[in-house]
Amino acid sequence: MSNPPLAAYPALRLRRLRQAEWVRRLVRESVLTPADLIWALVVHDGDGRVPVAAMPGAARLSVKECAAAAREARKLGIPAIAVFPHIDGAQKDARGSLAVDSRGLVARAVAAMKDAAPEVGVMCDVALDPFTDHGHDGLIEGGRILNDPTIEVLVAQGLMQAEAGCDILAPSDMMDGRCGALRRALEAAGKPDVMIMSYAAKYASAFYGPYREAIGSGKLGTGSVANPGDKKTYQMDPGNSDEALREVALDIAEGADMVMVKPGMPCLDIVQRVVEAFRMPTFAFQVSGEYAMLMAAAQNGWLDEERAILESLGAFKRAGCAGVITYFAPRAARLLGA
């Protein structure tokens, strides 16, 4: 679409449309509301709230607190919650066996949230890294992350989450072919209405560090098996953009209902390209490192905390996002007047 011709100054004064709050609101091109937010939270198998040192203001919630969070989301107009588990290190193994436990932490948290506020959607992370002692998203053999054997476990994990009441499966592992495998399994299990939001363009980013503390993820490069020191053989190279479009196209073809770009603000260019190319519901994840940076700067007096929260979230809408997964969701909803 070509731009219309512009009148010359002073016939055109762009500041006319900025002179008062009412007119700024009237001509605003993108608007952030609580309905654009998915609340990212971490659940733990204990009591109460446990603060996360690397994420000031964030905490791991008990299953009981997750139920309360669902009721809070309903009150604030937040449509959905994305739940991530903190697993005791003593319960982890190389295969992430607890990922498929139908009586485990994730299943109980999902059930509690759906019982407390069935109108609030629940999204579950389909990945093994919270459950493996080596911290990788897949099974390892000889120092190599195995693709197809990992998918078999992911499918079992996703089916367990769907049975528990999860509305959206969000595979974040970046194994090739996992969306198709999940979609076929859901159809075969009589769960055709369960949605898939694919972590379609997930980069091997430095911005995930605080999250790994929040979930107690295993340390990369250590453990009883040959353990790669990073996730670069399955997560995307941050230098690539065209590859992101190929990843998204494949996941859509395999049955993804929505797609996601991660991390968020460093990848706004990718969000815009995906939206323009596919016209699919596209989300971004404002990840733990983004949250931590904003909060640390605000606590040092370097940023206006409330303005920075809303401006950062508004940038995702401006780039074309249908919504944002963020740890700021309840705070932002209140700032927006919910």
Side-chain angles (χ1 to χ4, degrees):
M1 183 175 66
S2 60
N3 291 323
L6 298 178
Y9 171 87
L12 178 63
R13 293 177 181 264
L14 291 177
R15 287 185 57 192
R16 291 191 193 111
L17 299 181
R18 304 174 196 155
Q19 62 184 295
E21 175 62 17
W22 68 264
V23 73
R24 291 193 295 270
R25 287 190 290 116
L26 191 65
V27 301
R28 188 163 292 148
E29 297 171 28
S30 55
V31 178
L32 179 72
T33 75
D36 298 314
L37 307 175
I38 297 177
W39 182 356
L41 61 79
V42 177
V43 60
H44 73 105
D45 208 350
D47 297 324
R49 295 173 174 249
V50 178
V52 178
M55 299 177 65
R60 303 179 191 121
L61 307 186
S62 67
V63 171
K64 183 177 179 180
E65 291 281 354
C66 283
R71 289 189 289 270
E72 183 179 5
R74 178 175 60 193
K75 179 180 177 181
L76 294 172
I78 296 170
I81 293 174
V83 60
F84 302 89
H86 175 277
I87 305 299
D88 186 340
Q91 296 182 296
K92 299 182 181 185
D93 59 28
R95 292 190 58 83
S97 300
L98 285 182
V100 301
D101 186 357
S102 61
R103 294 177 294 178
L105 177 60
V106 171
R108 287 185 280 114
V110 170
M113 287 189 284
K114 295 305 292 185
D115 285 344
E119 311 92 329
V120 176
V122 175
M123 184 168 87
C124 286
D125 185 49
V126 183
L128 301 185
D129 56 319
F131 304 92
T132 56
D133 56 11
H134 47 69
H136 278 284
D137 300 61
L139 307 180
I140 303 178
E141 185 177 282
R144 181 171 175 266
I145 309 299
L146 302 178
N147 195 90
D148 295 3
T150 295
I151 289 177
E152 293 179 12
V153 183
L154 295 174
V155 166
Q157 181 185 26
L159 289 176
M160 177 277 291
Q161 293 168 347
E163 288 292 340
C166 177
D167 301 292
I168 305 172
L169 300 183
S172 66
D173 55 287
M174 289 300 287
M175 298 298 117
D176 291 335
R178 86 275 205 221
C179 287
L182 280 168
R183 177 53 66 206
R184 290 189 295 272
L186 289 168
E187 292 289 335
K191 297 284 185 181
D193 293 334
V194 174
M195 293 165 276
I196 295 176
M197 181 191 291
S198 170
Y199 285 65
K202 180 180 179 180
Y203 287 87
S205 172
F207 288 92
Y208 307 149
Y211 167 77
R212 290 173 183 152
E213 177 180 324
I215 67 164
S217 180
K219 300 294 185 182
L220 301 180
T222 63
S224 59
V225 295
N227 182 354
D230 57 49
K231 301 188 177 186
K232 294 179 180 179
T233 67
Y234 49 103
Q235 294 178 356
M236 284 181 53
D237 184 336
N240 292 355
S241 177
D242 290 344
E243 182 187 13
L245 299 189
R246 296 199 297 273
E247 286 281 8
V248 171
L250 287 169
D251 287 356
I252 293 171
E254 291 177 13
D257 303 286
M258 299 168 275
V259 295
M260 185 202 303
V261 175
K262 182 181 179 184
M265 289 191 72
C267 297
L268 292 180
D269 60 320
I270 307 301
V271 169
Q272 187 172 36
R273 287 197 69 186
V274 169
V275 169
E276 290 177 350
F278 300 103
R279 303 297 175 185
M280 281 281 290
T282 302
F283 293 75
F285 200 142
Q286 186 181 49
V287 297
S288 60
E290 298 171 63
Y291 174 96
M293 286 193 307
L294 289 176
M295 290 301 294
Q299 289 185 347
N300 277 284
W302 300 333
L303 287 177
D304 181 316
E305 183 175 330
E306 294 183 354
R307 286 184 62 193
I309 289 171
L310 294 183
E311 183 178 337
S312 66
L313 292 170
F316 295 110
K317 291 292 293 181
R318 189 178 66 239
C321 278
V324 190
I325 301 96
T326 176
Y327 300 93
F328 284 124
R331 178 83 181 281
R334 294 188 191 95
L335 291 174
L336 291 166

